[in-house]
Amino acid sequence: MTGFSPTASSPHAAARARARMIDRHLRARGIRDARVLDAMARVPRELFVPDHLAGEAYADAPLPIGHGQTISQPYIVALTAEAARLSPGDRVLDVGTGSGYAAAVYAAMGAEVWSVELVPELAGRAREALPRAGFAHVTVVTADGSLGLPARAPFDAILAAAAGAEIPPPWLAQLADGGRIVLPVERHAGWQRLLRVTRRGEREEREDLGAVRFVPLRGAHGRR
């Protein structure tokens, strides 16, 4: 149970629910970056879920947001943010805006965020939710995120909320030296692994961060 319901919603009730989420689902599962925890304590997740699911906003589970997409579970958002090693002022490309929640978390960490969403209806909803949550400075673009956003490159981090068969080549081309890509990559029999790819000049360092489950990356460089 989350201890939060739409009928009892208030800033205080939501804050208590977020605190429980952070203790039970983030710290207890190994999230240690204080800036990630602080950001997630400040982002009102209830504003990014459908109204009828507001009572589940702080459960550690993905929730449907329509068009076959979900808002990722809080632990996965925190894991991605921690893996990205974000610093204030970093230029971040968030691929797969969905609800806009992850983009809000990255912005709360001080990043300059461009978020790309393929589905116009979801992009529109995120553009409404982000200012309500206090993140009007996040830019949401309706486009094919698998192509990156070359007009705004280079990026210090490219973070994806959907799984591809491999790292899209445009992302590598748009990544700054020292930049990080965090992407779930599909392996055999539908298994996915979360990868962190760090650019070191002409080299790429790849790290496997463990098993995950995401919706498929769509677009020109998405899953066929």
Side-chain angles (χ1 to χ4, degrees):
M1 299 294 292
T2 63
F4 178 77
S5 71
T7 57
S9 60
S10 71
H12 294 299
R16 289 194 298 270
R18 281 196 295 276
R20 284 192 293 272
M21 173 193 76
I22 289 166
D23 287 338
R24 297 175 184 178
H25 305 312
L26 304 186
R27 285 197 182 96
R29 296 183 65 183
I31 301 298
R32 295 288 178 264
D33 189 320
R35 292 179 56 251
V36 172
L37 296 171
D38 177 68
M40 296 195 67
R42 292 190 290 117
V43 177
R45 193 169 190 256
E46 69 274 12
L47 298 184
F48 293 93
V49 303
D51 289 344
H52 70 283
L53 294 175
E56 300 301 317
Y58 294 102
D60 192 40
L63 298 172
I65 57 173
H67 301 276
Q69 304 300 300
T70 62
I71 178 175
S72 295
Q73 71 186 95
Y75 172 73
I76 289 295
V77 175
L79 180 63
T80 300
E82 188 169 70
R85 297 171 175 166
L86 298 180
S87 297
D90 274 358
R91 296 167 61 85
V92 172
L93 177 63
D94 170 47
V95 179
T97 309
S99 68
Y101 175 67
V105 171
Y106 308 147
M109 294 178 68
E112 188 176 357
V113 182
W114 284 269
S115 191
V116 184
E117 174 55 56
L118 187 62
V119 180
E121 292 83 358
L122 293 180
R125 287 184 213 161
R127 289 190 191 100
E128 294 175 359
L130 284 158
R132 286 202 306 268
F135 300 97
H137 54 293
V138 173
T139 301
V140 178
V141 179
T142 305
D144 179 354
S146 77
L147 299 173
L149 202 61
R152 298 296 185 181
F155 295 101
D156 299 296
I158 300 176
L159 311 178
E166 191 44 85
I167 306 291
W171 297 6
L172 293 168
Q174 295 171 35
L175 192 63
D177 192 17
R180 292 80 58 202
I181 295 173
V182 181
L183 169 75
V185 173
E186 293 185 352
R187 296 307 187 204
H188 61 85
W191 290 95
Q192 299 173 5
R193 307 293 295 185
L194 189 65
L195 298 186
R196 176 170 57 209
V197 180
T198 305
R199 181 175 178 181
R200 304 292 186 193
E202 297 302 313
R203 296 184 300 108
E204 300 166 17
E205 296 177 357
R206 298 195 174 205
E207 302 167 79
D208 187 325
L209 303 178
V212 290
R213 176 69 67 182
F214 281 80
V215 297
L217 179 67
R218 295 187 285 179
H221 295 276
R223 190 168 80 180
R224 301 294 181 183

